[in-house]
Amino acid sequence: MAYVLKTLNSWFWWESLWIPANCTWADLEDHNGIVFPKPYHLYATIPYAFVMLMVRFVIERYIAIPLAKALGIKNVTRVKPQPNAVLENYFRKCTKRPSQSEIQGLAKKCNWTVHLVEKWFRRRRNLELPTMLRKFQEACWRFSFYLASSIAGFIFLYDKPWFYDIWQVWVGYPFQSLLSSQYWYYMAEISFYWSLLFTLGTDTKRKDFMAHVIHHLAAIVLMACSWCGNYVRIGTLVMIVHDTADFWLESAKMFNYAHWEKTCNVLFIIFSVVFFITRIILFPFWILRGTLYLPSYYSSTMVIAYFIFNGPLLILQGLHLYWGYFVLKILNKFLFLKVSYSGFCRKMWETSNTELYLLIE
């Protein structure tokens, strides 16, 4: 077993997979004050994730709740149904929405009226629904992180030459020293997604639960691999391009929960503009140009990592176009058909449109 693990480890860290020809891992050892990213640095993201959870607790409790009250969101206490083992077992194992014939059968079995059984299931379903306050707290936390991450990312990058000239991403690669700002930017982003994974079981249950799991894992793997291959410069650009749109969407959700329709609509329009600029224009014509086209000028032999990293980035661009279609669909509804964003959200919830659920929920 030890031999198998050793062989797999040697294959995984095969130099031709990660770094250019005529370069070895020994060349990327720290020397003369020059520091390079190391895989073991990523171990720190796990304890940092628990720090994120503590920060989240503080924000949700001491910032989100007072802000929600100021916006008029009340903490509604839902009425619990009367304890009934038969109905509870049926609710958990069979269906949460029994048909009329099933309700009549359960009523006879429990010696209840049909009306009482219907009311029991209605109250039991309501217990599973998150309150507006809970949704607001989660959106407030994500808004806080994405806003802080966007501001920090701009501060870290505004004076860097590769922020303005994408060619600079590959100048001197792979012998590019790791900056402390890059270290903390990566640690914050990866630990944030770890914290989201840790709380998926307790957060608001969503229809796209597995999509969230896959998304968070893919984000962690992609960032971790870019770290190990010292693709840190391009990695930070990818992160800031994505974060700058997300906090606008989370703020729109917050005001949607508070039923501030006009404010919500304005914020969603701003989100849409930023989304199309960053993910439909900048990402393909700036980021992908820098990862697909420019490396050929610095190396005649492409390493395997070139294909490994560009594959997910191209898939990500496909998702951007997919989501962009639905953003346009929402904009069309309330710009030309005079349907507010909040009203559109309610309609999507009623019709269970899972494609738009990620955007509105």
Side-chain angles (χ1 to χ4, degrees), residues 150 163 237-248 270-288 316-317 320-321 323 327:
S150 299
F163 188 57
L237 296 179
V238 171
M239 290 188 289
I240 196 170
V241 160
H242 284 79
D243 288 349
T244 47
D246 288 338
F247 71 85
W248 292 107
I270 296 174
F271 157 74
S272 302
V273 172
V274 176
F275 178 90
F276 281 101
I277 290 174
T278 56
R279 302 195 190 186
I280 306 300
I281 298 175
L282 288 180
F283 189 81
F285 298 107
W286 185 44
I287 299 294
L288 289 182
L316 189 58
Q317 179 56 28
H320 292 164
L321 295 172
W323 290 330
V327 172

Side-chain angles (χ1 to χ4, degrees), residues 58-262:
V58 172
I59 289 176
E60 288 188 350
R61 179 156 189 161
Y62 298 105
I63 297 178
I65 291 179
L67 182 58
K69 290 180 179 178
L71 293 174
I73 300 175
K74 297 179 181 179
N75 188 16
V76 179
T77 303
R78 295 203 167 105
V79 179
K80 293 183 178 180
Q82 182 179 340
N84 188 302
V86 174
L87 297 182
E88 182 66 30
N89 186 62
Y90 197 87
F91 181 88
R92 291 179 178 273
K93 295 183 178 180
C94 297
T95 179
K96 298 178 181 180
R97 295 182 178 275
S99 64
Q100 194 62 33
S101 60
E102 289 172 326
I103 290 176
Q104 290 173 354
L106 289 169
K108 290 180 181 179
K109 194 172 183 178
C110 298
N111 198 25
W112 282 15
T113 65
V114 170
H115 174 70
L116 282 176
V117 175
E118 289 175 340
K119 186 166 71 172
W120 189 96
F121 274 94
R122 186 167 57 251
R123 287 182 173 178
R124 184 64 182 83
R125 287 194 299 269
N126 286 340
L127 283 181
E128 302 246 313
L129 296 175
T131 63
M132 284 298 177
L133 178 61
R134 183 60 198 151
K135 290 181 179 180
F136 184 90
Q137 286 178 283
E138 292 181 9
C140 185
W141 158 239
R142 293 191 297 268
F143 165 79
S144 301
F145 176 82
Y146 290 134
L147 178 62
S149 175
S150 299
I151 295 172
F154 181 75
I155 293 173
F156 293 157
L157 290 168
Y158 85 97
D159 61 344
K160 306 300 185 295
W162 55 89
F163 188 57
Y164 306 96
D165 182 6
I166 197 69
W167 286 86
Q168 295 295 323
V169 164
W170 299 107
V171 172
Y173 180 82
F175 305 107
Q176 297 169 343
S177 180
L178 176 67
L179 305 176
S180 59
S181 60
Q182 293 171 328
Y183 172 85
W184 288 111
Y185 198 14
Y186 259 79
M187 294 299 108
E189 289 281 345
I190 297 176
S191 60
F192 171 71
Y193 282 104
W194 274 126
S195 72
L196 290 182
L197 271 179
F198 295 160
T199 58
L200 274 176
T202 56
D203 284 345
T204 300
K205 296 294 184 296
R206 303 178 186 277
K207 296 179 182 179
D208 55 352
F209 175 83
M210 284 309 300
H212 275 75
V213 174
I214 294 170
H215 173 270
H216 299 340
L217 284 174
I220 291 170
V221 170
L222 197 56
M223 287 187 285
C225 289
S226 69
W227 177 267
C228 294
N230 200 16
Y231 300 105
V232 174
R233 290 185 180 181
I234 196 70
T236 53
L237 296 179
V238 171
M239 290 188 289
I240 196 170
V241 160
H242 284 79
D243 288 349
T244 47
D246 288 338
F247 71 85
W248 292 107
L249 178 60
E250 296 302 332
S251 62
K253 290 180 184 178
M254 291 163 63
F255 283 98
N256 177 38
Y257 301 145
H259 301 294
W260 286 39
E261 291 194 359
K262 291 183 179 179

